[in-house]
Amino acid sequence: MAEYESHDYDVVVIGAGGAGLRAAIEASARGARTALVCKSLLGKAHTVMAEGGVAAALGNVYPEDNWQVHFRDTMRGGKFLNNWRMAQIHAQEAPERVLELEEWGALFDRTPDGRILQRDFGGHRYARLAHVGDRTGLEIIRTLQQHAVHRGIDVFMECTITKLTKDGNRVSGAFGYWRESGKFILFKSKAVVLATGGIGKMYSITSNSWEYTGDGQSLAARAGADLIDMECIQFHPTGMVWPLSVRGILVTEGVRGDGGTLRNSTGKRFMFDYIPPMFAKETADTEEEADRWYTDKVNARRTPDLLPRDEVARAIHYEVKNGRGSPHGGVLLDIATRRDEDYIKRRLPSMYHQFKQLADVDITKEPMEVGPTCHYIMGGVRVEADSAQTTVPGLFAAGEAAAGLHGSNRLGGNSLSDLLVFGKRAGEHAAAYAAGLAAQPAVSEEEIDLEAREVLGGFDSQGTENPYTIQRELQDSMQALVGIIRVEEDLQQALVKIAELKERSRNVGVEGNRQYNPGWHLAIDLRSMLMLAEATTKSALERKESRGGHTRDDYPTAVKEWESRNVVSRLQADGSMSVTVESKPEMPPELQQLFEEG
Amino acid sequence: MPTAHLRVWRGEDDGDYYEYDVEYGEGMVVLDVVHLLQAHQAPDFAVRWNCKAGKCGSCSAEVNGQPRLMCMTRMNTFIPGETITIAPLKTYPLIRDLVTDVSYNYEIAQTIPELKPRPREADGTHRMGQVDIDRGQEFRKCIECFLCMDVCHVIRDHEENKREFAGPRFFISLANVAMHPLDTNPQSALLDPAFGLSYCNITKCCTEVCPEGIHITDNGIIPMKERSIDRWDPLRKIFGGSR
């Protein structure tokens, strides 16, 4: 029998980034006994790294802006694979969620008349991102963290959940271990909210931290929930490329929003060569018009530097591939020749700092070298739009762990607003669901014993495989074979490699004891990463077209019929992932109309 | 590839420094070398880290006696061949290797008064000038790396003072609420002596190590001390008056 401590709650929220914190705040405010469980210390979650801003049609800078325009931008950016209802709710509720943060102490940058300032970002028709310089994520997490602390929510820090328990078809709890002691812990809970973020750690070049091992998606899949669109991964166009040790670290889109431009090795502003027909009408085709747009949005069209991220990432990829890259295999991002030193330091202080300290580059004097980096997964746990409930009763998901809002490509700034809008909804509906259950659902001892044995397996085995080596090989394969540009042959090859790594991961050995042991933690996380790598690769094979973050060299165009189809991944009894294609909800005519108006 | 000679703390309070040679690549930072150590020689080496870009404040340690973020400390800042000693933060009880028990921070955070904002304007907004929030934004740059707490001599060598001293990070939290343009909470202006501001004798060690360049002493602690004197000066209590 496994030894463990046990706790009883109405709602357990897993993950304490923006979505998890907002969900916990809401569940608690609605009277649910709420626990917040996170792998790192409170306040260190990935949200802290978000830079540019939070998208909300406040209309402070352009009164013409409203939820309909934001909705339209989000759908077009996602190449219409989005769940329309999520996109509608998101656009409608984001402004109030941002204003609410201000009530809780957030200090956004201001307009001259004292309201929240908004900045330009890719794919957003109007300057829409509320921001704090280039450290907006920090502001949001700190605000939510302080607010949550004063609500008396129980926080379990450095605690990793490895398994959701079920009573019949309902979720009944969450089981895991304390990182510090390695001891087991069980949360019996009526409802569980997954807010665990993404999967970036299965790629070698990524802006994501060690935590992004797909915990939520794999917990959901193992509990029998559906995942959708796992092939839709965003490669942010501008990560650092040099020195190698910092490759992948994010360079905010705010650099381009504030006047920066992309150039190739010949000095050419190459984005003018990559304007897709879908955005041609609203994109400047001369440098003069593009530069004028920063100050005159009425008579000039937007710069192609700010096309949606998938377009820019692909363009950079092709420039480098065709021999027009920078010395270290990226392209040049130039703000030094376009804005003065004071402006750059005021608007982009952490970019200035980051390049100065890590790369010896002064961005007020020299261009930055940048290239695509794995940044975000649009796919994830399938949820019902209004309630954020997954296909398993009592199990909810929000933020990056959930899928649907962003379709096949997310617009910058729509992640922070996603966290707030759907974090709140997940907390609200989880609390309501829990209130509707008379008794605590049951947890099976057998299920827990089985999980405990599996988690401790690496200690007992005579395993010879090093978990770090397996992760490195997975990352290299995914990067090379399931990266920004994909073809059938590579994807098939990736599946063979993943199968090999799955087999080898059974033979992982763990050194040391259970107390704060990163090697052991990684050995456990490999299970999720390998499962989701398989889901992503199989889904990428299934979607025989190119759309948003999913680009197939052998099917290079978007196919109309695929616009209405989700690729659904489900875990099979033998541990493999199956994929099927299902049609997604159709947009009602009144919303369709928004696109016909242009 | 160059080789780093590391001397790192291993184990708990009864642990010791262990020496490792680690080959590393161009442009690397200390945290990269620690990761290489984990991947090839010491898989169970305990260390906290998250963003690896100086934004989350997780990988704090004492590198050659200096409190540093390991992700922002480049290897080329050391003399080639120099032994690099990496130790856990001394202010906090040790758990294992470089990981310390920082629960003290979270206990204090709960005692910081909460912002109580004035009502919104008629149009549903809050109006604040950029100039009015510049100072608050400076305080809010804090990434909670707790290097300031590590160097603060009031608590670094005096466990007993932790009961009555909030520490530099939290003086900044207090100042943030007290100087917030929207705040109406009488508690935040009160500045309870229980936070122990008077223990600070303005040596500015905290300001020197802040990776975000926050002027902890000049812009946070000193103005708060001035308010505290206004509030708690016994002569003022007797004779009244305020500045």
Side-chain angles (χ1 to χ4, degrees):
Chain A
M1 289 286 279
E3 278 183 38
Y4 56 86
E5 61 177 279
S6 181
H7 302 265
D8 264 31
Y9 285 99
D10 295 325
V11 175
V12 168
V13 179
I14 306 172
L21 277 162
R22 190 63 190 82
I25 288 168
E26 195 64 22
S28 167
R30 288 167 188 267
R33 295 169 304 145
T34 305
L36 181 60
V37 187
C38 51
K39 284 212 285 193
S40 284
L41 295 172
L42 186 62
K44 307 298 183 192
H46 226 283
T47 304
V48 92
M49 294 168 71
E51 293 165 355
V54 46
L58 294 160
N60 289 355
V61 176
Y62 286 88
E64 300 89 333
D65 201 11
N66 55 44
W67 77 259
Q68 287 92 341
V69 186
H70 191 185
F71 166 77
R72 183 175 164 275
D73 290 346
T74 301
M75 293 294 297
R76 282 163 56 96
K79 304 290 175 345
F80 294 95
L81 191 62
N82 324 52
N83 176 311
W84 66 265
R85 177 64 184 151
M86 288 176 85
Q88 181 187 31
I89 291 170
H90 167 254
Q92 287 172 331
E93 297 181 0
E96 186 46 41
R97 294 286 80 76
V98 170
L99 294 174
E100 177 179 77
L101 287 180
E102 205 169 47
E103 294 283 305
W104 298 345
L107 290 174
F108 292 103
D109 289 353
R110 315 309 293 182
T111 61
D113 69 349
R115 292 181 297 163
I116 295 173
L117 181 61
Q118 298 182 273
R119 97 168 0 136
D120 282 309
F121 239 56
H124 293 281
R125 181 161 180 176
Y126 299 110
R128 186 177 285 145
L129 271 66
H131 59 277
V132 185
D134 54 4
R135 55 163 194 87
T136 314
L138 173 68
E139 185 71 11
I140 288 184
I141 205 162
R142 208 60 87 226
T143 302
L144 291 173
Q145 178 186 347
Q146 269 310 98
H147 192 73
V149 159
H150 288 290
R151 305 276 87 65
I153 295 164
D154 294 341
V155 183
F156 296 78
M157 283 184 243
E158 299 199 306
C159 183
T160 304
I161 299 299
T162 70
K163 168 93 178 157
L164 301 177
T165 61
K166 280 174 79 180
D167 180 2
N169 70 336
R170 292 173 185 282
V171 80
S172 66
F175 179 74
Y177 62 90
W178 288 105
R179 289 165 56 77
E180 181 183 328
S181 63
K183 292 183 177 156
F184 289 127
I185 179 167
L186 171 69
F187 298 91
K188 295 179 182 167
S189 188
K190 292 175 180 168
V192 172
V193 177
L194 298 171
T196 51
I199 52 82
K201 271 302 177 196
M202 62 194 200
Y203 286 86
S204 52
I205 301 175
T206 176
S207 62
N208 293 173
S209 83
W210 71 271
E211 295 197 285
Y212 266 35
T213 50
D215 296 19
Q217 294 87 341
S218 77
L219 287 169
R222 289 171 69 211
D226 293 353
L227 309 180
I228 58 169
D229 303 334
M230 291 297 287
E231 73 282 15
C232 295
I233 291 175
Q234 177 166 84
F235 292 84
H236 192 292
T238 60
M240 291 177 80
V241 297
W242 188 256
L244 275 182
S245 63
V246 298
R247 190 158 195 155
I249 292 180
L250 191 66
V251 179
T252 178
E253 194 167 318
V255 175
R256 285 169 284 142
D258 289 347
T261 191
L262 291 162
R263 298 181 194 276
N264 64 21
S265 58
T266 69
K268 183 177 180 190
R269 292 171 67 177
F270 60 86
M271 281 310 300
F272 289 93
D273 300 338
Y274 293 91
I275 302 168
M278 182 177 174
F279 297 103
K281 223 169 82 185
E282 64 214 55
T283 308
D285 49 15
T286 66
E287 294 188 11
E288 179 277 323
E289 183 182 359
D291 289 347
R292 191 154 44 86
W293 168 83
Y294 283 100
T295 48
D296 177 9
K297 301 241 173 4
V298 181
N299 300 308
R301 293 171 298 172
R302 68 190 300 114
T303 170
D305 282 304
L306 286 174
L307 280 165
R309 289 176 175 173
D310 55 331
E311 311 288 354
V312 183
R314 265 192 301 275
I316 294 175
H317 176 87
Y318 289 124
E319 285 298 304
V320 175
K321 199 174 160 192
N322 292 320
R324 295 186 292 271
S326 64
H328 301 104
V331 294
L332 300 170
L333 175 58
D334 165 33
I335 192 164
T337 68
R338 297 169 54 80
R339 297 289 184 267
D340 66 50
E341 185 177 333
D342 285 349
Y343 177 87
I344 296 169
K345 283 185 179 168
R346 181 163 46 82
R347 300 286 297 171
L348 304 161
S350 78
M351 287 303 104
Y352 175 75
H353 198 59
Q354 182 174 310
F355 272 90
K356 193 89 181 138
Q357 289 214 348
L358 296 175
D360 284 330
V361 167
D362 181 344
I363 68 167
T364 67
K365 298 188 171 62
E366 308 159 74
M368 298 160 247
E369 270 190 84
V370 295
T373 177
C374 177
H375 185 54
Y376 189 89
I377 184 160
M378 279 69 69
V381 185
R382 183 186 232 172
V383 291
E384 199 274 314
D386 285 76
S387 68
Q389 186 161 226
T390 70
T391 49
V392 171
L395 182 61
F396 299 77
E400 189 174 352
L405 168 61
H406 309 292
S408 64
N409 173 59
R410 175 174 71 75
L411 295 184
N414 271 0
S415 180
L416 291 179
S417 43
D418 173 11
L419 306 179
L420 299 171
V421 169
F422 290 100
K424 180 203 176 259
R425 279 183 168 260
E428 176 184 341
H429 288 272
Y433 170 91
L437 286 192
Q440 203 81 13
V443 173
S444 134
E445 283 294 335
E446 207 179 328
E447 209 176 5
I448 288 174
D449 265 349
L450 202 65
E451 176 65 10
R453 270 204 300 277
E454 197 174 322
V455 163
L456 293 176
F459 286 111
D460 306 333
S461 77
Q462 303 299 307
T464 51
E465 291 285 352
N466 177 339
Y468 295 94
T469 308
I470 292 188
Q471 186 188 27
R472 170 53 62 188
E473 287 185 32
L474 175 69
Q475 290 171 335
D476 290 344
S477 301
M478 292 300 284
Q479 190 73 39
L481 304 171
V482 198
I484 180 165
I485 308 291
R486 301 156 178 181
V487 293
E488 164 132 14
E489 195 190 340
D490 287 356
L491 295 170
Q492 295 290 5
Q493 202 185 323
L495 283 181
V496 173
K497 183 68 184 180
I498 293 164
E500 175 211 313
L501 292 173
K502 262 187 164 177
E503 196 51 44
R504 282 169 52 193
S505 72
R506 283 183 235 282
N507 193 32
V508 157
V510 176
E511 279 183 37
N513 60 34
R514 285 166 70 173
Q515 195 194 12
Y516 218 112
N517 185 341
W520 174 44
H521 302 160
L522 179 59
I524 301 168
D525 293 340
L526 282 177
R527 214 169 40 167
S528 310
M529 280 185 276
L530 289 164
M531 177 200 294
L532 299 171
E534 183 184 333
T536 290
T537 309
K538 284 184 170 170
S539 302
L541 269 168
E542 192 67 25
R543 186 173 286 280
K544 294 182 174 56
E545 64 155 355
S546 292
R547 182 177 298 275
H550 170 70
T551 304
R552 286 280 301 259
D553 230 9
D554 42 358
Y555 299 94
T557 54
V559 177
K560 185 72 185 166
E561 298 82 75
W562 275 101
E563 185 180 296
S564 54
R565 294 177 188 165
N566 294 125
V567 179
V568 184
S569 304
R570 295 188 180 96
L571 182 65
Q572 302 302 297
D574 66 357
S576 69
M577 298 299 287
S578 72
V579 293
T580 48
V581 174
E582 295 177 18
S583 53
K584 68 181 191 66
E586 205 178 319
M587 207 189 310
E590 68 270 22
L591 292 178
Q592 295 266 17
Q593 222 179 355
L594 291 172
F595 299 93
E596 283 147 25
E597 288 159 5
Chain B
M1 293 226 291
T3 300
H5 301 288
L6 297 187
R7 190 168 158 268
V8 296
W9 183 266
R10 299 279 341 239
E12 301 171 47
D13 283 334
D14 59 354
D16 206 345
Y17 286 100
Y18 282 66
E19 298 196 15
Y20 299 92
D21 285 341
V22 182
E23 283 193 353
Y24 67 96
E26 192 183 347
M28 283 194 174
V29 294
V30 171
L31 184 59
D32 290 313
V33 178
V34 167
H35 284 159
L36 289 170
L37 174 66
Q38 277 184 325
H40 301 295
Q41 299 182 55
D44 62 337
F45 184 61
V47 57
R48 286 193 180 105
W49 73 283
N50 283 67
C51 77
K52 205 177 165 290
K55 294 186 170 69
C56 77
S58 300
C59 62
S60 305
E62 297 187 5
V63 181
N64 286 351
Q66 297 295 315
R68 305 280 311 191
L69 293 177
M70 289 190 286
C71 71
M72 297 303 272
T73 307
R74 292 184 65 183
M75 290 301 291
N76 66 5
T77 57
F78 301 100
I79 302 160
E82 180 183 3
T83 299
I84 302 169
T85 302
I86 312 176
L89 298 185
K90 186 164 181 285
T91 289
Y92 301 96
L94 184 61
I95 293 174
R96 195 165 74 79
D97 300 345
L98 297 184
V99 175
T100 56
D101 176 359
V102 293
S103 47
Y104 167 51
N105 297 329
Y106 293 92
E107 285 157 24
I108 300 171
Q110 290 186 334
T111 67
I112 304 295
E114 196 178 14
L115 176 88
K116 298 213 187 315
R118 67 180 187 224
R120 291 184 188 179
E121 310 288 327
D123 65 358
T125 67
H126 280 301
R127 302 289 173 129
M128 291 181 264
Q130 184 63 42
V131 65
D132 300 320
I133 65 165
D134 279 343
R135 182 59 49 83
Q137 286 189 330
E138 179 190 356
F139 299 150
R140 297 174 71 86
K141 284 197 312 196
C142 172
I143 58 173
E144 299 202 328
C145 63
F146 299 109
L147 294 180
C148 58
M149 305 286 275
D150 189 51
V151 291
C152 179
H153 57 87
V154 178
I155 43 178
R156 184 176 169 89
D157 297 309
H158 296 278
E159 185 64 30
E160 70 279 9
N161 286 345
K162 286 184 185 171
R163 285 191 301 273
E164 42 204 311
F165 184 73
R169 190 280 170 262
F170 296 99
F171 295 143
I172 290 300
S173 298
L174 288 163
N176 166 54
V177 184
M179 299 181 197
H180 197 293
L182 299 183
D183 186 49
T184 62
N185 184 354
Q187 292 297 318
S188 62
L190 203 66
L191 205 70
D192 193 325
F195 288 113
L197 197 61
S198 61
Y199 281 77
C200 168
N201 50 12
I202 328 184
T203 53
K204 296 198 182 184
C205 309
C206 51
T207 303
E208 280 171 23
V209 299
C210 178
E212 289 295 312
I214 301 169
H215 299 92
I216 301 173
T217 317
D218 289 350
N219 290 348
I221 293 176
I222 292 174
M224 292 299 279
K225 272 181 177 278
E226 285 169 354
R227 290 182 186 209
S228 159
I229 289 166
D230 282 354
R231 184 75 55 176
W232 299 101
D233 183 348
L235 292 176
R236 277 186 197 284
K237 272 198 177 157
I238 297 163
F239 299 111
S242 62
R243 279 181 226 182

